[in-house]
Amino acid sequence: MNLERGFITILTGIYSLQDCVHFLAAIRRFHQEPIVILIDRVPRIFYPLLKAFGNVILQPAPTHVNPVYASRQAKLSLYDRSPFQKTIYLDCDICLLNNIVEVFEELENADFLVTQDVQPAIAQATNLLRVKQDVLSTLQSAGLPLDESSIQYNGGFMAFTKCSENAALFGHFRTYFERVADRQDVLLLRDQGAFAAAIQTAKPRMKVLPPCYNFLSKWKDGYGQLEQPIKVLHCTYAYRPQFAKNVTRSLYTRLFDRFAQVFLPNQTNNPWRMKGVQES
């Protein structure tokens, strides 16, 4: 299968199912392109609930008992798994607030699109460490080729084309993430450090988009004044503001939410996230 453009997301574990249903509802409000879901550890009985949104393609994600680790492995495989010439990847706890067709159009002029993290300086990225010590030297000791100028990007949003440069970028991403996974004595199992190192090594033809394309609601006070309205809100459904919940509100999602409230867990009680994700 070789398609012109589409979306891809990751669903590993039942805790993200409600997020993913609302993710699909938001995409379908503004877009009709195909959506690939890399999926693992979700009972097949729920697959029809996802495919009901139309033009949804389910692909098996790398499997692992730890759904957070599986999601990291799935992100490393995005380039290989995407059937599209132009791909927009979004975490499944993201809600579109508007059409983002211009992101596909930006891929005419750049091969890779990304947004910076709320804390862009890698040297200050204490969120990547399990221990209290110097960030940069700790990341370097794990084998990540980073320096004072290195930028922390948020991998919850990225867009890319099919090209050899991006194939190399994701190859580096995998190599560096394996180094992170090997040093869980000092590093949390997060992908930003490996992602930054891969970008710094591969130097793709890239463009950094403004935070309105990946606005992390939890850290909204860190952005300052935004120059453009938020188009991509990054927030798990349980904590999503009402105006964003209204975007995906329909009879279908209302019925699903009533079912989920009684029968499904969500990210607020995901034990794999609560305990720091050391198991791999």
Side-chain angles (χ1 to χ4, degrees), residues 4-277:
E4 175 59 27
R5 68 188 195 186
F7 294 87
I8 191 167
T9 193
I10 295 167
L11 174 59
T12 53
I14 198 72
Y15 297 97
S16 298
L17 182 59
Q18 187 177 32
D19 281 339
C20 195
V21 166
H22 284 275
F23 168 87
L24 294 170
I27 296 290
R28 282 292 170 257
R29 174 148 184 191
F30 302 107
H31 288 270
Q32 294 306 311
E33 289 90 353
I35 306 168
V36 170
I37 304 176
L38 303 183
I39 190 167
D40 180 52
R41 304 191 74 78
V42 174
R44 287 185 173 272
I45 194 173
F46 293 120
Y47 284 18
L49 298 179
L50 302 171
K51 301 198 77 170
F53 289 92
N55 212 4
V56 172
I57 304 162
L58 303 182
Q59 291 188 20
T63 189
H64 198 278
V65 64
N66 177 342
V68 176
Y69 186 80
S71 73
R72 303 290 189 260
Q73 291 296 318
K75 189 171 287 189
L76 301 176
S77 73
L78 285 174
Y79 181 86
D80 293 330
R81 297 296 188 92
S82 173
F84 310 118
Q85 291 299 310
K86 296 178 180 178
T87 301
I88 295 177
Y89 166 77
L90 300 167
D91 281 356
C92 74
D93 61 345
I94 274 176
C95 178
L96 289 195
L97 301 181
N98 210 325
N99 186 296
I100 57 169
V101 66
E102 69 276 9
V103 175
F104 287 119
E105 294 168 354
E106 287 281 2
L107 289 174
E108 295 292 335
N109 304 309
D111 293 323
F112 196 77
L113 307 174
V114 72
T115 62
Q116 290 187 357
D117 201 84
V118 180
Q119 170 50 265
I122 278 286
Q124 299 176 34
T126 56
N127 55 296
L128 303 182
L129 269 57
R130 196 178 293 279
V131 294
K132 289 185 177 181
Q133 56 191 51
D134 180 72
V135 175
L136 188 56
S137 62
T138 303
L139 294 171
Q140 290 171 338
S141 70
L144 302 184
L146 300 166
D147 56 41
E148 288 285 350
S149 67
S150 299
I151 300 297
Q152 179 177 208
Y153 302 97
N154 187 282
F157 165 96
M158 64 181 89
F160 54 89
T161 62
K162 286 286 187 179
C163 63
S164 58
E165 290 79 8
N166 282 338
L169 170 65
F170 277 87
H172 290 303
F173 190 12
R174 178 175 295 279
T175 296
Y176 295 137
F177 183 77
E178 288 171 355
R179 297 178 185 178
V180 171
D182 287 342
R183 290 302 311 274
Q184 285 189 68
D185 55 326
V186 293
L187 301 179
L188 291 167
L189 194 65
R190 293 177 174 160
D191 55 42
Q192 293 99 311
F195 192 37
I199 289 175
Q200 189 156 318
T201 300
K203 295 180 172 59
R205 191 171 68 109
M206 65 180 281
K207 180 176 181 178
V208 178
L209 298 183
C212 63
Y213 287 99
N214 188 10
F215 186 87
L216 280 75
S217 181
K218 183 178 180 180
W219 308 109
K220 59 184 178 182
D221 294 338
Y223 288 103
Q225 186 67 34
L226 294 183
E227 296 181 1
Q228 302 176 40
I230 300 167
K231 303 196 79 171
V232 180
L233 182 72
H234 198 160
C235 177
T236 188
Y237 185 76
Y239 294 122
R240 196 164 291 171
Q242 189 59 49
F243 75 86
K245 288 185 175 181
N246 291 342
V247 170
T248 57
R249 186 176 173 83
S250 68
L251 178 60
Y252 181 80
T253 57
R254 287 167 63 191
L255 291 173
F256 175 83
D257 288 343
R258 289 181 182 178
F259 167 82
Q261 188 174 14
V262 176
F263 296 105
L264 294 179
N266 59 45
Q267 293 292 14
T268 64
N269 50 18
N270 185 344
W272 293 103
R273 293 186 181 277
M274 292 177 182
K275 58 179 143 181
V277 201

